[in-house]
Amino acid sequence: MNTLLTDPVAPHAMVLHETGAALRFEPLTLAPPGAGEVRIRIEACGVCRTDLHVVDGELPHVETPVVPGHEIVGRVEAVGAGVTWPVPGERVGVPWLGGTCQACEFCLDGRENLCDTPEFTGYTRAGGFATHVTARAAYCVPLPNEADAVALAPLLCAGLIGWRSLRHAGNGRHVGLYGFGASAHIVAQIAIAQGREVSAFTRPGDVAAQAFARSLGARWAGSSLDDAPAPLDAAIVFAPDGALVPQALRQVKKGGRVVCAGIHMSDIPGFPYAWLWEEREIVSIANLTRDDARSFFADPACARVTTTTHRYPLDAANQALDDLRAGRLTGAAVLVP
Ligand SMILES: [Zn+2]
Ligand SMILES: [Zn+2]
């Protein structure tokens, strides 16, 4: 039995009561997990840009009160009826995809990321800005037992969405990353481990992010307004700025692809058809599947990823969100209860 499980921790959560307002630190009432569910003692929870979109009311139908957070690392402390895995004491991750119907045309077609009636952790069900969370067992991800919980947390969304985006970018050798934050710093390492070249595009003048990208092995780093040092085979846009989409499109070769990785983005400005011509493509990435999670954590490149994190106590979640919103972070913010 891990000692963490026997430490008394008064259950608490950071709760969103109204979009646009600060989260409130409140006691959490623990209920026994329902059928097919597990209750998890949280070791760490990353702060993702999607949490900002929930808190700021930029996603549709945010129903409050809700506890944000979907990059959860923790240990199972109670299981509900019918659960054979995971077992108490086991370390698991809880990502954004919290549940699907397994009956709609998309689920039946292996595209559960597009489920018609999905559940999302920290959006439509309680998330991980808390000491404890209840999750559907079938949507938990097995995690390495010994790894540092804070280092693992950003992999649960920044890593997984980045992984899915990179797979959708194709096999091209030269990949451009627009917005060098939590996701890009993980994707850059994976792409380089796969033998690709990475060019990093940051906010104009953000020399710290550019130096960070170079330190991780990017062949080039500069402003998002700059031309790439050589034409790109593909670009992934992580920053929620629609103006970057035509900008990236101009940098990709014939047949190249621009992958939009964010759940929310400002409007994309008009652009000449010539920029899209020659079979260039613009695609978006929506959510993730359990196969994304399994393949990511099983890939040898994943084990070699080093995440750069900034720890915050749980009750400093508002500060972490502010720092992310203001672009003050190099790497990923992680809450530790
Ligand atoms: Zn479905
Ligand atoms: Zn996320």
Side-chain angles (χ1 to χ4, degrees), residues 1-332:
M1 170 77 69
N2 187 291
T3 53
L4 271 175
L5 294 179
T6 57
D7 291 343
V9 171
H12 276 83
M14 290 295 289
V15 184
L16 178 71
H17 285 274
E18 183 188 349
T19 56
L23 307 181
R24 298 211 297 254
F25 187 62
E26 295 175 353
L28 185 67
T29 304
L30 296 187
E37 292 184 328
V38 295
R39 191 174 72 230
I40 295 162
R41 168 83 68 82
I42 296 173
E43 296 176 88
C45 183
V47 180
C48 171
R49 185 164 291 281
T50 300
D51 297 315
L52 267 188
H53 297 318
V54 170
V55 170
D56 292 345
E58 290 170 329
L59 297 190
H61 315 302
V62 176
E63 286 192 21
T64 54
V66 67
V67 179
H70 55 272
E71 294 182 324
I72 303 170
V73 177
R75 291 187 188 270
V76 174
E77 66 172 19
V79 303
V83 174
T84 55
W85 181 89
V87 297
E90 191 154 4
R91 179 184 259 175
V92 294
V94 184
W96 174 245
L97 189 75
T100 59
C101 74
Q102 294 303 307
C104 73
E105 63 174 303
F106 299 100
C107 283
L108 294 176
D109 189 34
R111 295 185 289 166
E112 64 183 5
N113 61 306
L114 300 178
C115 176
D116 282 335
T117 52
E119 291 183 2
F120 295 121
T121 309
Y123 179 28
T124 66
R125 55 183 296 145
F129 289 6
T131 55
H132 301 74
V133 69
T134 299
R136 292 192 187 281
Y139 292 81
C140 291
V141 179
L143 291 180
N145 207 32
E146 305 303 331
D148 176 55
V150 172
L152 283 175
L155 300 180
L156 267 299
C157 188
L160 284 176
I161 291 293
W163 174 249
R164 184 173 175 84
S165 301
L166 186 61
R167 294 212 292 184
H168 280 250
N171 294 319
R173 176 163 180 78
H174 186 197
V175 180
L177 304 178
Y178 281 80
F180 205 83
S183 250
H185 98 285
I186 296 169
V187 171
Q189 295 176 63
I190 292 172
I192 291 165
Q194 292 173 338
R196 309 194 205 207
E197 292 188 329
V198 167
S199 289
F201 299 82
T202 73
R203 296 182 201 217
D206 193 346
V207 292
Q210 292 163 14
F212 180 46
R214 281 189 214 98
S215 75
L216 294 174
R219 67 171 269 186
W220 177 90
S223 158
S224 58
L225 302 176
D226 289 345
D227 285 335
L232 304 172
D233 294 297
I236 306 174
V237 180
F238 291 110
D241 177 3
L244 293 174
V245 175
Q247 185 69 21
L249 193 59
R250 294 180 70 182
Q251 305 301 322
V252 299
K253 294 176 190 169
K254 291 182 280 190
R257 191 173 291 171
V258 175
V259 179
C260 303
I263 192 169
H264 172 83
M265 190 182 260
S266 58
D267 287 351
I268 300 172
F271 57 87
Y273 177 62
W275 296 2
L276 184 64
W277 166 244
E278 293 170 319
E279 302 198 344
R280 292 177 181 85
E281 295 175 83
I282 302 172
V283 299
S284 68
I285 288 298
N287 313 316
L288 55 114
T289 66
R290 284 173 285 177
D291 180 63
D292 291 325
R294 281 189 285 264
S295 62
F296 176 60
F297 285 101
D299 194 279
C302 172
R304 300 216 298 274
V305 168
T306 304
T307 52
T308 298
T309 54
H310 303 267
R311 304 169 71 112
Y312 296 79
L314 174 60
D315 59 4
N318 290 308
Q319 183 63 51
L321 290 164
D322 282 348
D323 289 345
L324 178 60
R325 190 186 285 108
R328 284 191 288 264
L329 294 169
T330 302

